[in-house]
Amino acid sequence: MIILITGASHTGKTVLAQRMLEKYKYPYLSVDHLKMGLIRSGNTKLTPLDDDKLTDYLWPIVREMIKTVIENEQDLIVEGCYIPYDWRKDLSEEYLSEIRFICLCMTDKYIDTHFDDIKQHGSDVENRNDDSDCTPEWIRSGNRSFINGFKKAGENIVLIDDDYNAVIEGLLNG
């Protein structure tokens, strides 16, 4: 089983992946770690700011890792924002039937009323050395892009609108 978690920055993808690792004992792959390994090793000229290009670059690698895990009847949580909206087109039904997809997004209302909490929890699992670009508008914009892109592709979105912990608990038990 693959649990594929995506969403905009600061939505709690890594926290959810960590909690799922603890509950299900599945290992997890952070696409951000893969990204930084490829960038730091010099295997790409892309930078952490090249979001769209990074999705195109990373997804074929992640997709083939997902297929390999499924073929070997293993379990893996894959977490990161570099999942294309139309990711399903690249996988046949034999693979898709083994993937639980979660797109975690926040509503504008939630961001506006909980921005201080969002910012405070930004380093709960991973250390964000520089979070100076994190503003309410930046988070709203990122979430709107994920909501619009994945909805247009026909995907279900898990919206955090009121109680973050209840949403996470629901995903852990769902």
Side-chain angles (χ1 to χ4, degrees):
M1 167 64 72
I2 298 289
I3 302 174
L4 182 58
I5 304 169
T6 195
S9 182
H10 288 75
T11 55
K13 300 178 299 294
T14 308
V15 169
L16 178 59
Q18 181 66 37
R19 299 262 318 266
M20 287 184 160
L21 174 145
E22 292 164 4
K23 178 174 182 165
Y24 301 121
K25 308 299 185 223
Y26 292 2
Y28 86 83
L29 167 71
S30 165
V31 181
D32 277 343
H33 291 170
L34 177 61
K35 168 190 77 175
M36 291 311 298
L38 291 163
I39 290 170
R40 288 180 173 175
S41 67
N43 282 292
T44 180
K45 299 287 185 211
L46 297 173
T47 73
L49 301 176
D50 294 321
D51 282 344
D52 291 338
K53 291 177 185 173
L54 282 164
T55 298
D56 293 342
Y57 180 70
L58 294 168
W59 174 243
I61 299 165
V62 172
R63 178 192 66 221
E64 296 308 314
M65 292 172 72
I66 287 170
K67 289 164 83 173
T68 301
V69 169
I70 291 170
E71 290 163 359
N72 285 292
E73 299 179 6
Q74 297 170 315
D75 302 309
L76 181 65
I77 300 163
V78 178
E79 170 270 317
C81 62
Y82 301 105
I83 309 301
Y85 302 135
D86 61 351
W87 67 275
R88 288 182 188 270
K89 75 172 177 47
D90 295 327
L91 297 162
S92 66
E93 185 52 42
E94 74 179 289
Y95 296 111
L96 292 171
S97 66
E98 296 296 321
I99 299 172
R100 177 182 174 197
F101 176 76
I102 300 169
C103 180
L104 205 54
C105 293
M106 297 173 174
T107 65
D108 285 354
K109 178 186 102 175
Y110 183 85
I111 294 164
D112 291 341
T113 57
H114 294 88
F115 177 72
D116 290 339
D117 292 331
I118 294 166
K119 184 102 169 166
Q120 178 183 343
H121 290 284
S123 293
D124 280 359
V125 177
E126 294 179 330
N127 186 20
R128 294 181 189 266
N129 292 329
D130 179 10
D131 210 13
S132 59
D133 61 347
C134 182
T135 64
E137 183 49 44
W138 181 75
I139 293 178
R140 282 192 300 270
S141 175
N143 276 269
R144 283 186 212 124
S145 293
F146 273 81
I147 291 167
N148 294 336
F150 280 109
K151 276 192 176 181
K152 185 176 178 182
E155 297 292 347
N156 291 323
I157 309 295
V158 177
L159 280 178
I160 301 165
D161 186 49
D162 182 37
D163 187 341
Y164 175 85
N165 291 320
V167 170
I168 297 302
E169 287 303 316
L171 291 169
L172 286 169
N173 297 316

